[in-house]
Amino acid sequence: MKTADRSWMNTGLTVDERVGKLLSQMTLTEKVGQMNQINNLGLDHGDVIREGRVGSALYASSATAGNVRDAGVDLDNLNAIQKMAVEQSRLGIPLLFARDVIHGHRTVFPVPIAQASSWCPELVEKAASIAAKEAAANGIRWTFTPMLDICRDPRWGRITEGFGEDPCLCSRLAASAVRGYQGDDLSDPLKIAACAKHFAGYGGAEGGRDYNTTDIGYRSFRDIFLPPFMAAANEGIASIMAAFNEIDGVPALANKHMLTEILRNEWKFDGVLISDWNAVCELIDHGIVQDKREAAFISLMSGLDMDMVSGTFIAELPSLVDEGKLSIEPVDAAVKRILSLKFKLGLFERPFVDKTLGKKVVLTPENRACALALAQKSMVLLKNDGILPLKKDIKRILLTGEFARSRTELFGTWTLDGRSEETGSVEEALSQRLPDGVHMDVHINYPDEIVRMARSTDVVIACIGEHPGRSGEANSIVSLDLPPGQLERLKAIADMGIPIVAVVFAGRPLAINWLSKRAAAVLYAWHPGIEGGRAIAEILFGDVEPGGRLPVTFPRATGQIPIYYNHKPTGRPLPPSLKEYGRYNDCLDQPLYPFGFGLSYTSFTYEKLEIVKNRIGTDDSIEVSCTVTNNGEREGEEVVQFYVRDCVASVTRPVKELKAFRRICLAPGEKRIINFTVPVAELSFTNINMKKTVEPGDFLFWIGPNSMEGLEGSFRVTVDGD
Ligand code: GLC
């Protein structure tokens, strides 16, 4: 085999020049090898590595790694594998090591839907930057996150992995996550390539059944499901993962309109497009190709660059080219994008990872402080009759519930590297925080003993909810009720008039009607990560307030699904009051808790709504403000939200759309004018002619604390603002 001139190693050349020089030296097998990702690549794959038939390695326990722990990633092993690739293959192209670092590596942050509840892009970015450092120090330079699937169906277990139901909130957090993982320079050894997934529409699975068919209308596809991916692409995300699902009969990997016409031609995305696990082969199961050969051909021609673990590209593409059935151009285009990412990551200059890095960046106090802050800001106070924060007259506490002593169950799904000994339970955190003179009993096993003990207590703290094992991938459920057995004992306690503070752990909205009526307080903790126990203790005793606001609508019943705030008016709009005739005979129409909702330990008033101009040109901006006051005796944070409604358009428009938000902190009694400036272009939508445009006309707008409350105003958009 001829030796290469290795001129691509000249760092004085541009990335494109280096890619071109390397590509010109590569054989067909070596090219397709770069497009091949193998799971759990090891030194036992010596031939594949030396022959250049693999470009990337994923480290995952299985096809559904989110809830199946593996042995973790060993840096010495990765460095040894990389050494084999760099020193024993003909061209010495370094491998790109990938792992699902979904919400933290060793410092486990709250699950993504909890992070979305913080409505705090800065903290989401900081958490991603910490996850990047810890993963990079462990040899991982590519993560398959952020997941940007809009979801309106909590039966779908993967709702926990995304940022909720709203395109505006999801888009803002998408950009934050990209900045956190990638920073400004991917060659920074503590930055990693991010991957927006699953492109696209996966969250629309019918019945909430994972991997199921989606039948999304094209306008919804464009205006609801795509914006977060576009935000990630505009932020410079390094890669995107194509989804498993079909949309209206076309599986993602066969959807050239989506993978090439939109992603490449319209958005000018020039990063790497990777398939999901074995998805190339699954085109056969979808029934749109006969065999692997066709599957490889159609997915490459649709726009795919890299084949995640199916082995189909490396098995089929070389012979398709050799037989003249496939031109080399699409192969070269894919390989260029893959090599470009590797050059940008600095892998050719620094293929190995310094073992001493880990000690400096893993589980530092700063990392834990960020995890604590994010947990505190993501927990949502849904109800409080005044019992929280716990007062001085509380002398006896009974802590109970399945999660009272949990450790790793607080991490949530997709926790591949968090460790039990590195976190603490709610019990431990409460015990450390108990004020003098307060006694806490703990009992979680025998319901009759729990009820007996409750009689002599001032408050029961019930840590209940869903186990992370039924959250995440391949974990859809048919009922959003609390898991069996959790309510019965609480009902017995409530019937004795003993106040219950329910702390609910979950990866999705649950239908917590009984709690909303009969508990004294409900704190929705999600799966809050490594500092979750401490965050709960500090919230319950009032050291900090719960800062979360819902990123997804909470239904009263499973039967209400799909239910979301930015719904269409229909020809028979919902009645304004809860009591009037609605859509169901057996359930009120409004959700249990609306998108954007969350209480704090103080209260806020909104007044003096103002708009700078109420006739605004299409090239101009909407400038609105209102005054927010903290009425309480303690400092508090509020997420001020700005919504609009397009009253008349060429197609039906949602009754409300979030267009901006801001988290503020007000001292007791403090008033502050909150301004929003939103370009009119943000009002664009896919119109009757399938064109993204702003249509002049009348709009309503609101500034308020959630999607169901707020001060209302109006403005008109005209062509030139006259
Ligand atoms: C899984 C998931 C995807 C994940 C990948 C690698 O099936 O769908 O989100 O990144 O495989 O583990």
Side-chain angles (χ1 to χ4, degrees), residues 58 63 100 144 158 197-198 241 244 276-277 308 414 473:
L58 161 63
D100 291 288
F144 297 135
R158 304 201 76 168
K197 69 184 186 183
H198 306 77
M241 181 188 297
F244 290 121
D276 202 338
W277 182 287
M308 181 187 283
W414 284 109
E473 184 172 3

Side-chain angles (χ1 to χ4, degrees), residues 251 281-290:
C281 270
E282 290 179 8
L283 291 179
I284 300 167
D285 303 284
H286 276 289
I288 60 148
V289 294
Q290 281 293 345

